[in-house]
Amino acid sequence: MSFTKENIIKLVQDNNIKFIRMQFTDVFGQLKNVTITASQLEKALNNQLMFDGSSIEGFVRINESDQYLHPDLDTFTIFPWQSENEKVARLICDIIQPDGTPFSGAPRGVLRKTLSKAKEMGFSAFNIGPECEFFLFQVNEQGKPTTMTNDEAGYFDLGPLDRGEKVRRDICLALEKMRFEVEASHHEVAAGQHEIDFKYSDALDSADKIMTFKLAVKIMAQKAGLHATFMPKPLFGKSGSGMHINMSLFRNNQNVFYDANDVRGLSKEAYSFIAGILAHINGITAITNPLVNSYKRLVPGYEAPCYIAWSASNRSALVRIPAARGQSTRVELRSPDSACNPYLALAVCLAAGLDGIEKGLTPPKEITKDIFAMSEDEHKSHGIKNLPATLAEALSALEADKLLCDTLGSHIVNSYIAGKRKEWNEYCTRVSSWEVEKYLVNY
């Protein structure tokens, strides 16, 4: 849906909207905003809204702090969870320097730049369909989140076992009011775990939608007296939450991944795209799995992939090709989690896939067996390697990957790695409850 400045001003007036949130995302995937009153809307729509970038982690130093928020008019929406007399709207913004150039540290700008590279190569669209999982937990008497789930249901269960059913329904209704096309909603494997899928769209819109989705889930859960979390592995011994990414490239409205004459229905470009993803996956993982906790999900036994392999059907593989063909042919990367910055995650995936196409790379042999059931010797004989086992290992792989570093730009690479190294060091030096329970009495 397209908007003009005049459309937006009229909608704000007609709906008696008092506040508009000018939203953007920082390097680490946290949603930020500057809230303006309706009286300042015209100024904001004329790209005259300045903010202090030095206050945002990973942006700029204090001596170069002035930056502008340029709203993307097509992202205008009214939040459906506010009451009639307290309506709030939002616009997602790009970050622009005072000299008019895009800010190199803005994640949305990185994705825009990578999509421009795809267009230069003749691709008209890079479509993304995310599958976002999350947990719903109870809160304590002080309103603080616990790790107690509000149900004992399992995969595809329904009420009364699934006591999160109503919250999911409320989330879906709120999303539809914000122009999402919700395709599926269901209980996931672990108690308290849920998934909501919405229709694919172009990468920039999908990244915007992922950020909006996470906000909507948290707010609607809070309204129900629960806490929603996209933490990848909140519970020991239970399945973690992922965000599978389904990707497809188009040229002249035709899916370039499809070839009716191939035994798997895949084109040369599809095979090369897969090969590019696999060639850069260790560095990609630092972006798609950004937390110390992410790597506690990527272990055998809980469906999440931890081995580098691909398959046209095998769900234990890192890269899978869902059964649909024709215009619906797509490559599914199963390792990412929703804690990632979607703009950066989609940018590095696209860059890696395009690199595979440019170089004419071919993927290794398809693995059709259950990789989790294979022995270590079988893994070696098939050339199957492990994903990075820790955040530190993934960060080192990212630093060593020139293509990914060039894609992200030195500003984001330096800020991101410095922040994540600090996070890793904090984790390594923190004394955990496990250590206290294991060692305090015995030693």
Side-chain angles (χ1 to χ4, degrees):
M1 187 172 182
S2 295
F3 290 98
T4 65
K5 293 178 186 178
E6 293 73 25
N7 289 151
I8 293 172
I9 291 169
K10 188 172 188 307
L11 282 167
V12 167
Q13 290 172 344
D14 291 350
N15 287 276
N16 195 30
I17 294 168
K18 302 296 185 187
F19 296 96
I20 301 95
R21 290 185 178 181
M22 312 295 286
Q23 293 183 338
F24 58 97
T25 301
D26 74 9
V27 172
F28 302 106
Q30 295 297 310
L31 190 62
K32 305 290 183 179
N33 84 161
V34 174
T35 302
I36 61 170
T37 61
S39 66
Q40 299 299 302
L41 178 59
E42 191 165 356
K43 175 183 174 182
L45 294 176
N46 288 328
N47 299 328
Q48 296 172 337
L49 184 63
M50 187 180 288
F51 80 108
D52 179 9
S54 68
S55 300
I56 307 299
E57 189 175 7
F59 266 33
V60 292
R61 294 166 295 190
I62 197 163
N63 62 323
E64 46 189 30
S65 59
D66 290 341
Q67 295 179 311
Y68 288 88
L69 293 173
H70 284 206
D72 183 336
L73 304 189
D74 292 342
T75 66
F76 178 82
T77 193
I78 301 170
F79 288 142
W81 46 76
Q82 302 288 151
S83 63
E84 281 298 314
N85 59 347
E86 295 180 338
K87 283 187 176 178
V88 175
R90 78 94 202 270
L91 284 156
I92 295 175
C93 302
D94 292 303
I95 313 297
I96 304 298
Q97 299 282 59
D99 64 3
T101 59
F103 172 46
S104 61
R108 201 169 189 260
V110 170
L111 180 54
R112 279 191 185 278
K113 186 178 176 182
T114 314
L115 289 168
S116 295
K117 162 76 172 176
K119 281 187 167 55
E120 289 170 8
M121 292 176 63
F123 300 113
S124 55
F126 179 50
N127 285 344
I128 298 296
E131 301 172 25
C132 302
E133 297 171 344
F134 57 93
F135 276 86
L136 292 175
F137 289 126
Q138 296 178 25
V139 296
N140 62 21
E141 292 177 354
Q142 289 75 43
K144 301 291 185 182
T146 71
T147 52
M148 293 174 59
T149 64
N150 70 321
D151 67 48
E152 294 76 41
Y155 203 41
F156 288 154
D157 278 343
L158 65 162
L161 272 178
D162 176 11
R163 293 201 292 276
E165 197 171 48
K166 184 183 182 305
V167 183
R168 279 206 318 275
R169 184 172 69 243
D170 291 343
I171 293 167
C172 291
L173 292 173
L175 292 172
E176 287 186 333
K177 288 178 181 176
M178 292 189 288
R179 304 190 302 278
F180 280 65
E181 185 174 334
V182 178
E183 293 190 324
S185 163
H186 61 86
H187 199 284
E188 260 294 337
V189 174
Q193 188 183 31
H194 306 268
E195 179 178 321
I196 296 175
D197 303 329
F198 47 91
K199 188 177 180 180
Y200 71 88
S201 61
D202 71 87
L204 191 66
D205 183 57
S206 283
D208 289 342
K209 279 189 164 77
I210 290 167
M211 294 305 299
T212 302
F213 173 83
K214 292 198 282 187
L215 177 66
V217 168
K218 284 184 171 289
I219 286 176
M220 298 311 291
Q222 189 178 58
K223 284 181 171 293
L226 298 170
H227 176 75
T229 182
F230 292 92
M231 180 179 177
K233 186 82 168 183
L235 298 174
F236 170 70
K238 305 294 181 184
S239 294
S241 292
M243 186 183 74
H244 300 170
I245 299 175
N246 293 273
M247 302 172 275
S248 55
L249 269 177
F250 281 72
R251 183 188 291 118
N252 300 325
N253 296 320
Q254 293 298 310
N255 189 326
V256 301
F257 285 170
Y258 178 59
D259 183 351
N261 298 316
D262 179 71
V263 65
R264 299 184 186 89
L266 299 177
S267 67
K268 181 179 182 295
E269 287 92 343
Y271 287 117
S272 292
F273 191 94
I274 293 166
I277 292 285
L278 297 179
H280 294 281
I281 192 60
N282 287 339
I284 288 172
T285 302
I287 302 296
T288 57
N289 305 85
L291 308 183
V292 170
N293 181 255
S294 297
Y295 298 82
K296 297 189 176 182
R297 169 180 164 259
L298 300 178
V299 295
Y302 299 98
E303 297 188 6
C306 50
Y307 302 110
I308 302 172
W310 78 279
S311 174
S313 58
N314 186 354
R315 287 181 180 271
S316 66
L318 171 71
V319 173
R320 187 178 79 93
I321 313 300
R325 290 295 180 268
Q327 291 289 80
S328 299
T329 307
R330 57 195 186 272
V331 172
E332 179 188 28
L333 182 62
R334 297 172 59 81
S335 56
D337 60 60
S338 298
C340 72
N341 183 324
Y343 301 103
L344 300 184
L346 298 186
V348 294
C349 286
L350 176 58
L354 294 178
D355 186 54
I357 291 173
E358 277 191 311
K359 293 177 178 174
L361 300 181
T362 55
K365 187 177 177 182
E366 176 189 4
I367 305 297
T368 56
K369 295 173 64 176
D370 181 353
I371 302 172
F372 296 127
M374 295 168 68
S375 67
E376 192 173 330
D377 287 341
E378 286 179 295
H379 287 167
K380 287 180 181 177
S381 67
H382 285 84
I384 300 172
K385 296 181 179 179
N386 290 24
L387 282 174
T390 66
L391 177 60
E393 192 179 323
L395 291 170
S396 294
L398 175 60
E399 284 180 306
D401 193 314
K402 185 178 185 304
L403 174 84
L404 300 186
C405 288
D406 289 346
T407 299
L408 297 171
S410 59
H411 185 113
I412 283 183
V413 167
N414 293 338
S415 298
Y416 187 87
I417 289 177
K420 290 299 171 181
R421 290 279 186 207
K422 180 181 177 185
E423 191 174 324
W424 174 253
N425 290 335
E426 286 175 4
Y427 168 71
C428 288
T429 55
R430 181 70 58 88
V431 178
S432 68
S433 59
W434 180 88
E435 291 171 277
V436 174
E437 292 171 11
K438 189 80 172 176
Y439 303 131
L440 189 64
V441 173
N442 290 339
Y443 293 91

